[in-house]
């Protein structure tokens, strides 16, 4: 079985926090080190890596410089970033299947969120017109 085409850090597979953690790890820094260099608490950095919050523009710019990745890559997975963890064709077939299922589920969830947004808009318009 051929492994699917994975974009490890693209918007369908990774979040901002995933990309931030990957860039930090590839740079060889611990959370504590990066937090100190940014002038933030470790808990703040953890919030960013766990997608509980997002950094302000000035900290995003600092992250980009310290981790040697583009701001665009941190935000979207496109542009200059870190290399993928391994060749997806070398993945264990069970792991590739799980990653494929995760990607499919994320796409379904995104489509559902878009549909929910459209329905909410329709409802607001109907209620406004009543």
């Amino acid at each position: 079985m051929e492994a699917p085409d994975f974009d490890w850090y693209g918007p369908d597979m990774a979040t901002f926090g995933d990309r931030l953690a990957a860039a930090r790890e590839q740079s060889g820094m611990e959370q504590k080190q990066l937090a100190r260099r940014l002038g933030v608490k470790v808990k703040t950095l953890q919030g960013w890596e766990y997608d509980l919050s997002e950094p302000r523009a000035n900290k995003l710019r600092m992250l980009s410089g310290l981790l040697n990745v583009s701001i665009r890559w941190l935000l979207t997975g496109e542009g200059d970033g870190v290399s993928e963890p391994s060749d997806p064709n070398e993945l264990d077939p069970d792991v590739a299947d799980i990653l494929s299922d995760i990607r499919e589920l994320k796409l379904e969830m995104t489509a559902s969120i878009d549909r929910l947004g459209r329905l909410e808009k329709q409802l607001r318009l109907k209620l406004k017109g009543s």
Side-chain angles (χ1 to χ4, degrees), residues 8-9 14-29 49 67 69 73-74 82-85:
W8 281 93
Y9 299 116
T15 64
F16 169 82
D18 295 333
R19 288 186 286 274
L20 174 56
R24 178 186 53 76
E25 289 169 2
Q26 192 160 25
S27 74
M29 274 191 266
E49 288 191 2
L67 300 174
V69 296
W73 182 83
L74 281 170
V82 299
S83 57
E84 296 180 349

Side-chain angles (χ1 to χ4, degrees), residues 104-115:
E104 185 177 324
L105 182 58
K106 283 184 175 185
L107 291 172
E108 290 171 10
M109 290 172 66
T110 300
S112 294
I113 290 168
D114 290 344
R115 182 172 177 230

Side-chain angles (χ1 to χ4, degrees), residues 62-112:
M62 289 176 70
L63 282 167
S64 171
L66 288 169
L67 300 174
N68 198 30
V69 296
S70 70
I71 292 174
R72 182 175 173 222
W73 182 83
L74 281 170
L75 295 173
T76 67
E78 299 172 355
D80 295 330
V82 299
S83 57
E84 296 180 349
S86 65
D87 181 358
N89 294 321
E90 295 175 7
L91 288 177
D92 178 290
D94 292 335
V95 172
D97 288 344
I98 292 169
L99 287 171
S100 180
D101 288 347
I102 289 171
R103 179 179 226 174
E104 185 177 324
L105 182 58
K106 283 184 175 185
L107 291 172
E108 290 171 10
M109 290 172 66
T110 300
S112 294

Side-chain angles (χ1 to χ4, degrees), residues 13-48:
M13 287 299 288
T15 64
F16 169 82
D18 295 333
R19 288 186 286 274
L20 174 56
R24 178 186 53 76
E25 289 169 2
Q26 192 160 25
S27 74
M29 274 191 266
E30 296 291 326
Q31 286 180 334
K32 186 176 179 179
Q33 292 172 290
L34 182 56
R36 185 174 52 247
R37 292 183 74 182
L38 289 166
V40 300
K41 295 179 180 179
V42 173
K43 189 170 186 150
T44 300
L45 179 62
Q46 288 172 339
W48 299 341

